[in-house]
Amino acid sequence: MAKRRSSKNGNKIEPSVLTMAFALPDGAATSTIDLSQCASLLNRRFYRQGINWAVAGFKVISPSGATGALSVAQLPNTWIMSNSWEKSFRAWSKMNREAISEAQSIRPKFLDFKIYADADHHSAGYGLNLLPVDLLGAPYTAGQWVSAKFVIPKTNGTDDTISHEIVAVGANYPGTGASGLNAVSLIEGYAASRALPDILDPNMPDDALLASGSTPQNYLGALFNEGTDQTADVIEDMRFDNKIAPYPFENDGTNLDTMYPNGANQGPTLQYHDSAIVSGTTIGGVTHLKGGNFLCGLIRVASNIDSPGTLLVVDLVPGTHRGYLCEPMTEM
């Protein structure tokens, strides 16, 4: 009798839609794609937003004679963004856990830590996200896709609270969004919770320079003097050079506020990914852009193509996370 082979579900690649097509708006437009939202629609199963998605590549399919340009941006692919997301996610989870500790049955089945990419995305709202289209160019109908919120107690002596939605990059409180709520920034919240670098590292004692003469204070340094001032000169250089971090930070002698990349004061935007020019001589009307990994599946598309009917095709990678190559943000 043949030996029965046991399947390993952990290595199974589930069927999933690997190509998503989006109709780009006519003319100059800025749009946002949420891959988790789109995968949930196309596969009729819930994909959390907190996923680091692998994208094989992008294709712009334009009508004959179309001209224009298209660029793609993403959440910063940095340890700062990863840690900022996780720290706020843990705080949000703790807030919810403590609130329903005595009523676990009311926990929503699709509770999820959903964020906006930036202030522009927050202002537009999820209702203006680009959604995939079918073979005839008709967009899929959206289901419920709602931002997570921080419910913060007021410190004015009342029992009132105030709710804020969440943006990934830029400053706190960018203004009222489509939902009517303001927002806080993941990166700014993370920056405010961390200690700053030392202004001088190390902070060298003045006596370190005294390594010459008959009564040197730094006698250990003077042990190797050979009738020159070499040791003192080297120490003099080390006293002033390479003592401050090679990046700006609050109270570094110049800057008075936090300077985390993609926060309020240092590159307060999404991260550039790729761009392309569409010309009337584009071969076959197909323009390719590189792939990569996209944190939270959020993709910003800025397009200015003069012909209607242009498609943006996103090719994904098959894998073991419910059919896709991706990983939870908590595992970055």
Side-chain angles (χ1 to χ4, degrees):
M1 183 176 180
K3 182 178 179 181
R4 180 181 298 175
R5 294 183 179 179
S6 60
S7 62
K8 296 182 179 180
N9 292 331
N11 295 325
K12 179 181 178 182
I13 297 179
E14 299 181 40
S16 57
V17 178
L18 295 175
T19 300
M20 299 180 182
F22 301 88
L24 292 177
D26 299 344
T30 299
S31 310
T32 303
I33 296 171
D34 187 327
L35 291 178
S36 294
Q37 180 187 27
C38 297
S40 297
L41 295 177
L42 291 169
N43 296 292
R44 194 178 171 84
R45 58 180 175 232
F46 175 42
Y47 289 83
R48 297 188 181 279
Q49 193 196 63
I51 295 174
N52 184 11
W53 285 82
V55 174
F58 300 87
K59 292 193 295 283
V60 182
I61 303 176
S62 54
S64 176
T67 61
L70 179 141
S71 64
V72 174
Q74 63 181 110
L75 299 193
N77 197 4
T78 63
W79 68 266
I80 298 166
M81 185 73 259
S82 175
N83 287 7
S84 298
W85 185 93
E86 177 143 6
K87 190 161 191 174
S88 284
F89 169 69
R90 299 296 181 193
W92 175 82
S93 298
K94 181 180 179 180
M95 176 192 74
N96 290 328
R97 190 167 57 248
E98 292 183 353
I100 63 172
S101 60
E102 301 301 327
Q104 290 289 334
S105 62
I106 69 170
R107 178 184 174 87
K109 181 177 181 180
F110 302 108
L111 182 66
D112 188 31
F113 186 60
K114 298 186 188 73
I115 64 171
Y116 294 96
D118 59 3
D120 290 342
H121 191 201
H122 177 246
S123 178
Y126 292 144
L128 293 184
N129 283 359
L130 279 186
L131 298 180
V133 298
D134 63 19
L135 192 59
L136 300 178
Y140 278 68
T141 301
Q144 188 183 65
W145 201 254
V146 181
S147 172
K149 301 173 186 66
F150 282 120
V151 182
I152 302 172
K154 292 183 177 179
T155 55
N156 58 0
T158 70
D159 292 331
D160 292 341
T161 61
I162 186 167
S163 295
H164 294 303
E165 293 178 321
I166 305 155
V167 297
V169 303
N172 286 320
Y173 313 114
T176 301
S179 67
L181 297 176
N182 212 323
V184 291
S185 164
L186 291 182
I187 288 182
E188 281 298 287
Y190 183 65
S193 71
R194 302 192 75 223
L196 296 169
D198 291 331
I199 187 64
L200 293 177
D201 188 11
N203 190 1
M204 186 180 294
D206 292 338
D207 284 352
L209 291 173
L210 303 179
S212 60
S214 59
T215 58
Q217 294 297 321
N218 183 4
Y219 60 86
L220 292 177
L223 287 174
F224 303 100
N225 280 344
E226 297 179 356
T228 70
D229 293 330
Q230 178 189 34
T231 298
D233 290 344
V234 170
I235 292 176
E236 179 72 15
D237 288 342
M238 290 186 177
R239 184 184 183 192
F240 296 104
D241 297 344
N242 302 307
K243 300 290 291 296
I244 301 177
Y247 45 81
F249 56 91
E250 183 176 351
N251 298 328
D252 60 1
T254 302
N255 300 286
L256 302 178
D257 200 358
T258 53
M259 298 292 291
Y260 274 63
N262 308 108
N265 306 304
Q266 176 85 320
T269 64
L270 297 173
Q271 176 181 294
Y272 172 81
H273 177 72
D274 200 5
S275 57
I277 301 296
V278 176
S279 70
T281 59
T282 298
I283 297 175
V286 179
T287 304
H288 293 269
L289 290 87
K290 69 180 182 182
N293 64 298
F294 287 78
L295 279 63
C296 294
L298 292 173
I299 303 172
R300 170 60 47 76
V301 180
S303 57
N304 187 6
I305 299 174
D306 62 2
S307 300
T310 300
L311 289 179
L312 175 67
V313 177
V314 181
D315 291 319
L316 302 173
V317 183
T320 56
H321 188 94
R322 309 189 76 186
Y324 296 103
L325 179 61
C326 50
E327 64 180 3
M329 287 286 292
T330 52
E331 295 180 9
M332 280 193 71

